[in-house]
Amino acid sequence: MPRSRPRILVTVRRTPADAASAADYARRVRYYADAVRAGGGVPTVVTPDDAIPGAFDGLLLAGGADVHPRSYGQPINPAVRETLSIDAARDAMEIELARRALGADVPIFCICRGVQLINVAAGGTLWQDLSLAGVDPRAHDQDGHLPVWEPVHGVSVVPGTHLAEIIGASDTGVNSYHHQAVADPAPGFRIVARAPDGTIEAIESERHRFVLGVQWHPERMVGHHPLQRRLFERFVAAAGGESSGPPLG
Ligand code: MN
């Protein structure tokens, strides 16, 4: 029987030590929790210091630092070493949780670092920095330049995919706060949206009820862009047991 208020586990980093960063970070975390509630779910926010609840209906892998390249079989590339910031404790927690959720077909919604994490956890690789893909990273970082809800670049969504079915559009504008991206999608995953410069902006599983990752930050856009709210509504509905799989074939 569908659960009316699905329990959504939201994974985030440890709270920063200094007060100013902590306040800023608390605001970012609130965007996730508020978007989950607006979608009909009950969020539980966990850091690498917290005990993981035994049962949850959906997993939201949130944004944050870079996944260590060793997790996808690469050394840190010396050419881009200074662009990397690693959070090994969070990698360990999230890779374990992601594999557990994938194994149990628990719905997973992945945002920014989250889409990178799920791709790595399922066997894919990342660009350690967009410059290595021949892309200008500045085109994908609007931090300090634009309001958080304002789109900075477009994405073209692949027709016939779960993402296309959810947002009901082939092109839409998104915000951008990343310097890495998916390189090789994991086995069983497909590319479902790209930026005009070719950057992979969304992937989804072909084998699960709902495993979707987006490179942008929809939780910062939901107040101004109803299309982005649908991502949370559909994720929470899937977590509640509503049938909502990717199209077959
Ligand atoms: Mn982007």
Side-chain angles (χ1 to χ4, degrees):
M1 189 205 280
R3 181 178 286 271
S4 62
R5 302 289 312 280
R7 301 159 297 181
I8 306 299
L9 200 60
V10 183
T11 57
V12 301
R13 58 164 283 183
R14 293 187 176 112
T15 304
D18 70 287
S21 303
D24 185 54
Y25 192 67
R27 185 169 46 78
R28 295 185 191 198
V29 171
R30 208 152 50 233
Y31 283 123
Y32 294 106
D34 288 349
V36 167
R37 280 190 208 97
V42 180
T44 298
V45 176
V46 294
T47 79
D49 293 327
D50 297 324
I52 303 296
F56 51 92
D57 305 306
L59 175 63
L60 197 169
L61 299 170
D66 302 320
V67 180
H68 198 295
R70 69 181 171 219
S71 300
Y72 45 99
Q74 294 178 12
I76 291 176
N77 185 326
V80 297
R81 181 184 298 277
E82 70 282 2
T83 71
L84 295 185
S85 68
I86 306 281
D87 187 342
R90 204 176 154 194
D91 287 358
M93 168 183 74
E94 289 184 331
I95 288 173
E96 187 196 328
L97 272 172
R99 289 179 178 158
R100 203 207 296 179
L102 286 170
D105 202 10
V106 168
I108 314 175
F109 187 32
C110 321
I111 293 176
C112 201
R113 165 193 162 89
V115 67
Q116 298 164 10
L117 190 288
I118 196 70
N119 191 50
V120 168
T125 65
L126 307 178
W127 293 111
Q128 291 184 33
D129 187 74
L130 287 171
S131 59
L132 298 170
V135 168
D136 184 353
R138 291 172 299 181
H140 289 270
D141 185 7
Q142 72 194 75
D143 200 15
H145 302 295
L146 287 172
V148 298
W149 60 83
E150 196 152 306
V152 69
H153 66 70
V155 292
S156 56
V157 179
V158 178
T161 61
H162 197 184
L163 176 63
E165 190 260 317
I166 293 170
I167 68 174
S170 55
D171 290 279
T172 191
V174 298
N175 58 10
S176 200
Y177 295 87
H178 59 109
H179 81 102
Q180 297 192 333
V182 170
D184 298 309
F189 281 71
R190 59 183 166 201
I191 298 163
V192 295
R194 284 186 191 268
D197 61 19
T199 301
I200 295 173
E201 290 275 339
I203 60 173
E204 65 187 30
S205 170
E206 299 170 315
R207 302 172 180 168
H208 296 86
R209 288 193 297 133
F210 187 113
V211 178
L212 171 65
V214 299
Q215 189 58 74
W216 62 94
H217 279 274
E219 82 285 2
R220 301 177 186 173
M221 301 180 74
V222 291
H224 295 74
H225 302 277
L227 217 56
Q228 300 294 331
R229 202 171 349 174
R230 286 178 57 83
L231 292 167
F232 291 91
E233 292 166 354
R234 295 294 296 277
F235 163 53
V236 171
E242 194 170 284
S243 153
S244 171
L248 297 173

